[in-house]
Amino acid sequence: MYITPQHPQNSGKQLNNCSLIMVKESGKEGIFYFENVMPGKYKAILMHDTWCWKEKTIDIEVTDKDLTGIKFIQTGYILKCSISHEIKLHFAHEKKVGTVGSFNLNKGKNRFCLAQPGVYKLTPDSCHKFEKDIYTYDTSSPELLTLTAVKHLIEGSVTTEEAVQDLAVTLLSLVDKTPIVLGPLTIENKSPPVDSKDNKAPQPTGPFVYKFSHWARTGEKLEVSVSSKELLFSPAKTEVAVLGDTCAGEVAKFIGKRGVFIIGHIKPAIMGVNITVTTKGVQAPSVSVDSAANGGFKIGPLHKGNDYEVTAEKHGYVFVKQDGGRQSRDCSPGVVLSLSGDKQYRSNNITQENGTIVFPELGPGKYFLRSMMKEYQFEPASQLIEVLEGTTMNITISGKRVAFSCYGQVTSLNGEAEQGIIVEAMGEGEGCSLFQEESKTDQEGLYRIRGLQPKCTYVIRLKTEVNKHIERSAPKSRNIMIENSDFTGVNIIAFRKMNQMDISGNVVCHDDYLSTLKIHLYRDDNVDSQYTQ
């Protein structure tokens, strides 16, 4: 330790402004003394950086007699650590029960005090995984402890309309092409309350939420997709870049809906017949299965709204469709049917999930029926119907898809959904420049732009004149070419306008000078205005 005068110009020549001595051990205490100290005011300063002290500097004043009773009290043992990311660090003494606690530590260099000497087990608690799960620190051999994160937690969710037992998530590393399968996932929704009368729990209703998480390496890029035998998912897949600088949180969201299935039989029953389904007018891979022992087959899930062709092949056999047999067509829910007639009768209703609708209790007379649904052309588009008294009429209307949709999601930089954002699609090129469609994102940040014409190129972007709170987006825009199918995975990151921000920094210097430092922040356009910290 050493002492230094508070006013060096008045200290005299004997101390030369400061005097340094070693502390001598005496039992559990250390003894120190300075000789030939001139009268005046001094600071006594300890030079031991591996222990914690109640006071490391004590002001003293020497008058006309010896000064005694100066005490430096040790309060613990300093642990210095350098951390790559902000964490909570739990510590526990290896031998003494009860010496357990936690410290919240910032990125960079940190120092804190451990109350007891000995060996400690240090456990990081963070969304970042470090080189070790548990670190060891011995107060008798103090040294800088370095904690470097090597993996980072990413999370995602899958929301479905109905519960399934085989939902799995596949993460494909685009660095080494290594696939990782998570699942089958379990539902995160809380269980419904039990009915006290019959002690039976009511069946839970959707939506159902499945959560998944994965530890990814710094700088790794992952392709995330979801699979189930019963459901189709939007988006079909998404790419995630793991920067590792902050907690990534939820980086992927999927919506699962039931697809349609093609079910049929081979007559007479033949096992092992290769059944292939191809999508008409759409560039999509074909799907194949083999018939079972009873000749039956089931193919799916497939997207609704498409026309499919089914073929059967097996060496030594020739297969033909049965007389009157035809390819099963999908039912069309959500079609608006407008029926109008005499006496100002008018009814506008939507077809059910099975594609049917009933207009009951119609009086005799002539009615005009019109079918409407965006992206579809109906045959017939409209027709005149005459209803006779006491009769029931069954009418079949065929729909053909003539336009398509663009699916995507708008999120903030940290992956949170941006609700209420207007996304537009602007047509480009000859014959397409007059086309314009738009959509608003839902509470999950998902959007669907309908009515995109085939063989046209569209620019997908955020609509600037209505999204006043959005400063920019990444990407600013994206060009897509509509063929004969929907376009999925057009995701956009929106950056909100910032009204204020925090500026942080780090000053590296000796601890003795920290209390005297000030940081001045000046405006570039007004140097007279400053903020001092």
Side-chain angles (χ1 to χ4, degrees):
M1 66 172 296
Y2 67 91
I3 63 169
T4 179
Q6 295 189 27
H7 303 287
Q9 63 272 23
N10 299 325
S11 61
K13 297 181 180 179
Q14 185 171 0
L15 290 172
N16 294 324
N17 293 339
C18 67
S19 182
L20 177 68
I21 65 165
M22 294 292 294
V23 176
K24 298 179 180 179
E25 294 186 8
S26 176
K28 293 184 178 180
E29 297 183 348
I31 299 175
F32 66 90
Y33 59 89
F34 293 93
E35 296 179 331
N36 302 319
V37 178
M38 299 294 292
K41 293 183 178 180
Y42 297 86
K43 286 182 180 292
I45 303 172
L46 275 170
M47 298 175 63
H48 198 287
D49 290 334
T50 59
W51 289 355
C52 304
W53 303 92
K54 184 177 181 181
E55 293 179 291
K56 196 175 180 181
T57 302
I58 298 178
D59 292 330
I60 59 176
E61 183 176 3
V62 178
T63 55
D64 56 351
K65 59 182 178 180
D66 292 342
L67 184 64
T68 60
I70 301 173
K71 289 187 177 182
F72 291 91
I73 301 174
Q74 181 196 1
T75 58
Y77 300 83
I78 289 180
L79 190 155
K80 296 180 181 179
C81 56
S82 178
I83 305 176
S84 62
H85 294 75
E86 181 178 310
I87 65 168
K88 175 181 283 188
L89 189 64
H90 303 292
F91 65 89
H93 198 283
E94 193 173 52
K95 295 182 178 179
K96 296 184 178 180
V97 179
T99 55
V100 178
S102 301
F103 290 104
N104 292 315
L105 305 180
N106 297 320
K107 176 183 177 180
K109 291 187 177 180
N110 295 261
R111 52 185 293 162
F112 54 91
C113 286
L114 300 171
Q116 302 292 333
V119 178
Y120 285 82
K121 299 294 184 182
L122 308 174
T123 306
D125 181 3
S126 172
C127 64
H128 308 282
K129 184 178 286 293
F130 292 80
E131 294 169 318
K132 299 179 181 179
D133 293 333
I134 299 177
Y135 290 80
T136 302
Y137 183 81
D138 190 347
T139 59
S140 64
S141 303
E143 59 182 14
L144 180 66
L145 187 66
T146 301
L147 285 75
T148 304
V150 293
K151 291 185 178 181
H152 314 277
L153 184 65
I154 60 172
E155 299 173 309
S157 65
V158 184
T159 304
T160 65
E161 296 175 341
E162 55 188 271
V164 293
Q165 303 296 324
D166 64 338
L167 193 147
V169 174
T170 300
L171 301 102
L172 176 64
S173 174
L174 300 181
V175 177
D176 54 14
K177 302 298 181 181
T178 302
I180 298 174
V181 179
L182 307 177
L185 303 184
T186 57
I187 300 173
E188 292 288 330
N189 303 52
K190 294 182 179 179
S191 301
V194 176
D195 191 339
S196 58
K197 294 181 179 180
D198 55 10
N199 201 31
K200 292 182 179 180
Q203 291 296 323
T205 58
F208 301 94
V209 179
Y210 300 78
K211 298 284 189 178
F212 64 91
S213 61
H214 173 67
W215 291 102
R217 293 167 290 180
T218 304
E220 188 173 21
K221 289 186 177 181
L222 297 169
E223 182 182 275
V224 187
S225 59
V226 188
S227 61
S228 170
K229 292 181 179 179
E230 302 292 328
L231 306 179
L232 292 172
F233 298 91
S234 176
K237 60 183 177 181
T238 185
E239 289 189 6
V240 175
V242 182
L243 301 178
D245 50 351
T246 59
C247 291
E250 191 172 59
V251 297
K253 292 183 178 181
F254 296 88
I255 303 296
K257 296 183 178 180
R258 176 168 287 277
V260 296
F261 292 83
I262 295 177
I263 302 173
H265 286 83
I266 304 296
K267 294 182 179 180
I270 302 174
M271 182 179 180
V273 178
N274 182 251
I275 311 298
T276 302
V277 174
T278 55
T279 309
K280 288 184 176 181
V282 177
Q283 293 182 353
S286 59
V287 182
S288 297
V289 298
D290 289 341
S291 60
N294 63 355
F297 60 86
K298 178 180 179 181
I299 300 178
L302 303 171
H303 289 282
K304 298 179 180 179
N306 293 329
D307 289 333
Y308 297 97
E309 182 177 2
V310 182
T311 59
E313 293 181 347
K314 186 172 184 178
H315 184 68
Y317 291 86
V318 175
F319 298 94
V320 294
K321 290 184 180 179
Q322 285 185 331
D323 293 338
R326 63 182 181 89
Q327 177 186 319
S328 176
R329 292 181 178 270
D330 295 328
C331 299
S332 296
V335 179
V336 177
L337 292 181
S338 176
L339 184 68
S340 57
D342 296 335
K343 299 180 181 180
Q344 297 183 342
Y345 175 86
R346 182 175 295 275
S347 177
N348 295 317
N349 288 302
I350 299 175
T351 56
Q352 302 173 11
E353 284 296 323
N354 60 2
T356 65
I357 189 172
V358 177
F359 294 98
E361 300 179 358
L362 296 179
K366 293 182 179 181
Y367 294 85
F368 184 76
L369 180 64
R370 185 182 178 191
S371 309
M372 295 170 288
M373 186 177 185
K374 197 166 188 176
E375 299 183 345
Y376 284 82
Q377 185 178 67
F378 294 95
E379 180 62 36
S382 59
Q383 55 185 304
L384 187 63
I385 304 170
E386 185 174 3
V387 177
L388 302 178
E389 186 174 357
T391 63
T392 299
M393 298 186 64
N394 293 317
I395 298 172
T396 300
I397 302 173
S398 299
K400 178 182 179 182
R401 197 167 188 186
V402 295
F404 301 92
S405 298
C406 173
Y407 293 84
Q409 186 181 32
V410 180
T411 63
S412 61
L413 185 60
N414 64 356
E416 292 184 0
E418 289 286 355
Q419 183 179 359
I421 301 295
I422 304 299
V423 186
E424 65 176 351
M426 299 293 296
E428 285 192 337
E430 185 177 356
C432 302
S433 58
L434 298 179
F435 297 144
Q436 190 271 342
E437 302 288 345
E438 62 184 44
S439 173
K440 180 186 287 189
T441 59
D442 62 14
Q443 62 182 3
E444 300 293 334
L446 300 172
Y447 70 88
R448 177 185 181 182
I449 304 177
R450 297 174 179 266
L452 303 183
Q453 301 300 315
K455 308 302 179 183
C456 279
T457 298
Y458 286 86
V459 179
I460 309 298
R461 64 193 178 193
L462 301 188
K463 197 169 184 177
T464 56
E465 56 267 28
V466 293
N467 301 313
K468 300 294 186 181
H469 61 296
I470 301 300
E471 182 178 26
R472 58 189 176 89
S473 65
K476 185 176 181 181
S477 62
R478 180 174 171 183
N479 290 8
I480 63 172
M481 176 67 181
I482 299 298
E483 296 291 347
N484 291 308
S485 63
D486 293 336
F487 209 100
T488 61
V490 185
N491 299 329
I492 301 172
I493 298 176
F495 296 86
R496 292 176 175 260
K497 292 181 180 178
M498 300 297 294
N499 298 322
Q500 63 182 21
M501 63 183 68
D502 295 331
I503 298 177
S504 61
N506 209 14
V507 178
V508 180
C509 68
H510 195 280
D511 292 349
D512 297 337
Y513 305 126
L514 291 176
S515 61
T516 65
L517 295 178
K518 289 185 177 181
I519 306 298
H520 301 281
L521 180 66
Y522 296 90
R523 289 177 58 95
D524 186 48
D525 57 352
N526 186 6
V527 296
D528 294 329
S529 176
Q530 64 170 321
Y531 176 79
T532 303
Q533 181 66 39

